[in-house]
Amino acid sequence: PNPNPNPNPKVTAGKGQRNRNLAMVLLNEGLATVMRAGKENADERSAHFDALVAAEEAARQAKKGVHSNSAPSTAPIQDLTTDSRRARGMEAELRRESRGVRGRIEHVFNGGMFKVVIPKMGIAVMFRIGALRVPRPAAAASSRPPEPLGDEAKEFARKQLNQRDGE
């Protein structure tokens, strides 16, 4: 049995991980399979090969992850970044969330405007930091000239925020 009740455990590799084998964790959750080399390549196998095979077999018996017979559930994300009327309709629901809304920044348009995906609600919205004026970056299809430091602001925001979770 899995001692971690979290159905989506976070696994990180690096210092301070109490000697956790990342391959074992992935195999136990059914998120990977063991590569079986032929007998001529037996010396290239992991020192933990038998334990890895046993973990894969346990996940297969429990029908976890890739060994499951059911199709993965993928809820479609409604992109509200292009439909302002539907986005305004969701505004009240977003404001009702008292503890904040968790989302992932999918795209950085400039230093203060982002596309945020909110998986819990199944939507993607445009997020703009209020009361903040950010210089305009150069755009390929824009006739308006870029402002000084616009590209630098966009690049900074991209490096710091893109593909990161936030609330």
Side-chain angles (χ1 to χ4, degrees):
N2 186 359
N4 185 358
N6 183 355
N8 299 313
K10 288 186 178 181
V11 179
T12 58
K15 294 181 179 179
Q17 289 301 311
R18 293 189 230 132
N19 297 324
R20 290 174 54 180
N21 186 336
L22 181 61
M24 278 297 255
V25 173
L26 292 172
L27 288 166
N28 283 328
E29 295 298 323
L31 300 175
T33 57
V34 176
M35 289 179 47
R36 290 174 171 78
K39 291 184 180 181
E40 65 277 355
N41 296 333
D43 58 332
E44 295 179 10
R45 288 183 178 170
S46 167
H48 309 286
F49 182 76
D50 294 331
L52 296 172
V53 171
E56 178 186 14
E57 189 56 36
R60 183 173 281 128
Q61 294 296 326
K63 297 189 183 294
K64 287 182 164 181
V66 296
H67 309 294
S68 173
N69 294 334
S70 63
S73 62
T74 56
I77 301 292
Q78 296 179 33
D79 191 353
L80 302 180
T81 60
T82 58
D83 189 351
S84 61
R85 188 176 332 135
R86 286 178 52 205
R88 281 191 208 105
M90 294 296 291
E91 183 180 9
E93 189 172 340
L94 288 168
R95 289 183 187 270
R96 274 195 298 261
E97 293 287 332
S98 60
R99 294 184 305 156
V101 179
R102 296 191 60 79
R104 175 173 293 119
I105 296 176
E106 289 290 318
H107 185 73
V108 175
F109 293 101
N110 67 28
M113 190 164 62
F114 319 101
K115 178 179 180 179
V116 179
V117 173
I118 305 170
K120 179 181 175 184
M121 301 173 83
I123 59 173
V125 296
M126 190 73 70
F127 177 78
R128 185 174 185 154
I129 300 174
L132 179 68
R133 188 188 176 296
V134 179
R136 182 176 46 250
S142 177
S143 61
R144 298 179 354 186
E147 296 177 354
L149 300 177
D151 290 328
E152 289 83 354
K154 178 181 178 180
E155 185 63 19
F156 178 79
R158 190 187 66 74
K159 286 181 178 177
Q160 298 295 317
L161 302 172
N162 201 28
Q163 298 299 318
R164 300 257 189 343
D165 292 339
E167 187 170 330

